[in-house]
Amino acid sequence: MDARTQSAEAKTPENRSPIPMGEFVALIASIMALTALGIDSMLPALPAIADQLGVDEPNHRQYVITAFMLGFAVAQLVHGPLADRFGRKPVIGVALGLYVITNVIAASADSFELLLVARAASGAAVAAGRVVTVALVRDCFQGRAMARVMSLAFMTFMVVPVLAPAWGQLMVMIFGSWRLIFGGIGIVAALVLGWFLWRMPETLDPASVNRLDLGEIWRGYRIMFRDRWAVGYTFASCAISGCFFAFIGSIQQIVYDVFKRPELLTVVFASIAGLMAASAFANSRLVMRFGMRFLSHLAIVVTTLLAAIHLAIILFYGETLWIFIVLQAPMMAAMGLANSNFSAMAMENMGEIAGRASSLQGFISTLGAAVLGAVIGQAFDGTTVPLYIGFTTLGLSALAIVFVTERGKLFRRS
């Protein structure tokens, strides 16, 4: 894409913000961040939850994360069609209200089974934040401008992964209760809900309202499945997201059991999340110049190479905490850069069915990633070897999918 095309795209009527741009990005990021808050704040609390609710198998602690992600994945199929029929605002409003309620239930759970049910329901509720915000952004922006907005939102919401584990650890270590974590999530969700209802107008064009029937929904799905970019980049995103979920599910055990440094969990997590935020900021600047394809293809190559190098170091030299941080942080940053552009490219031709396309893409990528991440996480054997075998395998898989999608023409600046 040349400079004139780029300028024309930036001025197109679709590239508009319904409220001041800074507030729009901050609000979208806050809604997205509720998902990260529901995951990352749990990490320091997993041992305490297991002890209090009688979970003996260490790897089963990961189910607190997995249950949330499974609910998050499946519910996306519902939120998209509802958002295309009733609008973005009412769907997010009801969903965030349910998110508050399910976190209150989780805070009062007296069994591990009830906690997992509440976690699955929480994931199902907050899934609207993923589906409908993507559709909302697509209502207002397209092409590189959409990728830029998503990168800025991602950069802003990355403050939560930096701070959430520290907050969770504070609740457990200072106040002695993991239940306060869920109560805090409920309060934050209520505040974001009020902000959204007060400031965000409806962005769905009345002409784009779709009937809520199976035939209409299936028609939208057929449109998506006929688009090579939508399908290819959805499955590439699935592979990369599987790496994210494997990391999140395993990081507590890695820091506690491999490195024997539980007090450093928040520091390790923050250092990695901080570099991911920096990569999102860089992407928001670079994507308008180099394009989504060039940046995301380069990022997936870097991800795969770093994973393979780290695996080789572990096998032939051994793992240390410093090696882990120095190699893991840039790898996760590259993953984030690839994934934000993959999501934008998957939605590029989906303006007519943004809600349904976002829901189906989210369902496929999140459910697949949750399963892949759980498989890798449950393979934890006291070392980081299973994690990096998984990272290398999924990185190569994503690269192969992109290669087929682009018919062998990688690194194009279009």
Side-chain angles (χ1 to χ4, degrees):
M1 182 180 293
D2 60 25
R4 285 175 299 177
T5 306
Q6 193 179 123
S7 176
E9 181 183 286
K11 295 177 181 177
T12 187
E14 287 83 357
N15 288 333
R16 68 198 186 280
S17 176
I19 57 177
M21 185 63 172
E23 184 182 7
F24 180 81
V25 170
L27 183 51
I28 293 299
S30 297
I31 296 171
M32 292 167 58
L34 292 175
T35 301
L37 186 63
I39 298 171
D40 301 332
S41 60
M42 299 294 108
L43 300 179
L46 294 180
I49 292 173
D51 290 342
Q52 189 168 342
L53 299 183
V55 181
D56 297 324
E57 171 56 49
N59 282 2
H60 290 177
R61 302 171 189 168
Q62 299 177 22
Y63 294 159
V64 175
I65 307 298
T66 303
F68 184 94
M69 295 313 306
L70 290 175
F72 184 88
V74 174
Q76 292 183 66
L77 286 176
V78 177
H79 293 307
L82 289 177
D84 279 346
R85 171 60 183 86
F86 298 107
R88 318 311 188 198
K89 192 168 184 175
V91 173
I92 290 184
V94 172
L96 293 188
L98 292 174
Y99 191 53
V100 174
I101 295 170
T102 53
N103 275 288
V104 171
I105 295 172
S108 60
D110 58 3
S111 70
F112 192 58
E113 291 74 19
L114 177 58
L115 177 64
L116 294 183
V117 171
R119 288 288 288 166
S122 292
V126 82
R130 187 271 174 202
V131 173
V132 186
T133 53
V134 172
L136 192 154
V137 172
R138 181 59 187 83
D139 290 340
C140 304
F141 300 92
Q142 66 176 354
R144 296 185 183 187
M146 180 183 177
R148 181 173 182 269
V149 171
M150 293 302 293
S151 293
L152 288 170
F154 183 77
M155 178 191 68
T156 305
F157 108 89
M158 281 305 298
V159 173
V160 172
V162 171
L163 299 179
W167 176 52
Q169 195 164 39
L170 182 68
M171 294 300 102
V172 174
M173 296 182 65
I174 304 300
F175 298 103
S177 176
W178 53 267
R179 299 180 187 277
L180 293 176
I181 299 174
F182 293 106
I185 294 172
I187 292 171
V188 173
L191 293 173
V192 173
L193 172 59
W195 182 17
F196 176 80
L197 293 177
W198 176 45
R199 293 291 295 161
M200 184 65 74
E202 179 57 60
T203 60
L204 177 62
D205 185 341
S208 298
V209 172
N210 289 285
R211 291 179 293 119
L212 192 62
D213 65 70
L214 292 178
E216 187 66 18
I217 293 171
W218 182 244
R219 184 186 75 84
Y221 289 171
R222 287 201 307 270
I223 291 173
M224 199 208 87
F225 278 119
R226 285 198 296 264
D227 189 283
R228 189 170 80 253
W229 318 112
V231 174
Y233 283 108
T234 294
F235 281 98
S237 179
C238 173
I240 293 302
S241 297
C243 297
F244 277 116
F245 295 161
F247 171 78
I248 291 171
S250 303
I251 185 60
Q252 182 268 321
Q253 288 172 278
I254 288 173
V255 176
Y256 279 47
D257 300 336
V258 176
F259 301 123
K260 312 296 183 185
R261 300 296 300 272
E263 75 280 6
L264 294 181
L265 175 60
T266 57
V267 175
V268 172
F269 201 87
S271 60
I272 292 171
L275 196 57
M276 290 178 67
S279 78
F281 177 75
N283 186 61
S284 71
R285 298 297 184 90
L286 296 174
V287 71
M288 301 300 288
R289 179 178 179 184
F290 295 103
M292 295 177 285
R293 283 173 172 79
F294 179 84
L295 289 177
S296 62
H297 298 172
L298 179 62
I300 197 62
V301 170
V302 170
T303 296
T304 307
L305 285 175
L306 287 174
I309 290 169
H310 200 156
L311 178 61
I313 290 173
I314 296 167
L315 294 175
F316 294 104
Y317 173 76
E319 181 74 286
T320 69
L321 181 58
W322 283 111
I323 290 174
F324 179 81
I325 294 173
V326 167
L327 290 177
Q328 183 69 26
M331 188 181 74
M332 296 294 286
M335 285 182 193
L337 192 153
N339 218 20
S340 60
N341 287 307
F342 284 174
S343 297
M345 286 188 288
M347 286 292 294
E348 198 165 13
N349 300 325
M350 299 292 108
E352 177 190 352
I353 54 161
R356 283 166 291 168
S358 178
S359 69
L360 184 58
Q361 290 172 12
F363 168 74
I364 293 171
S365 62
T366 308
L367 181 61
V371 172
L372 291 169
V375 169
I376 296 171
Q378 290 299 307
F380 179 75
D381 60 359
T383 74
T384 56
V385 171
L387 185 67
Y388 286 99
I389 290 176
F391 283 166
T392 305
T393 302
L394 291 179
L396 289 171
S397 299
L399 190 57
I401 293 169
V402 169
F403 185 83
V404 172
T405 300
E406 296 288 348
R407 294 174 175 167
K409 299 177 181 178
L410 301 181
F411 306 107
R412 290 187 295 127
R413 296 193 180 188
S414 61

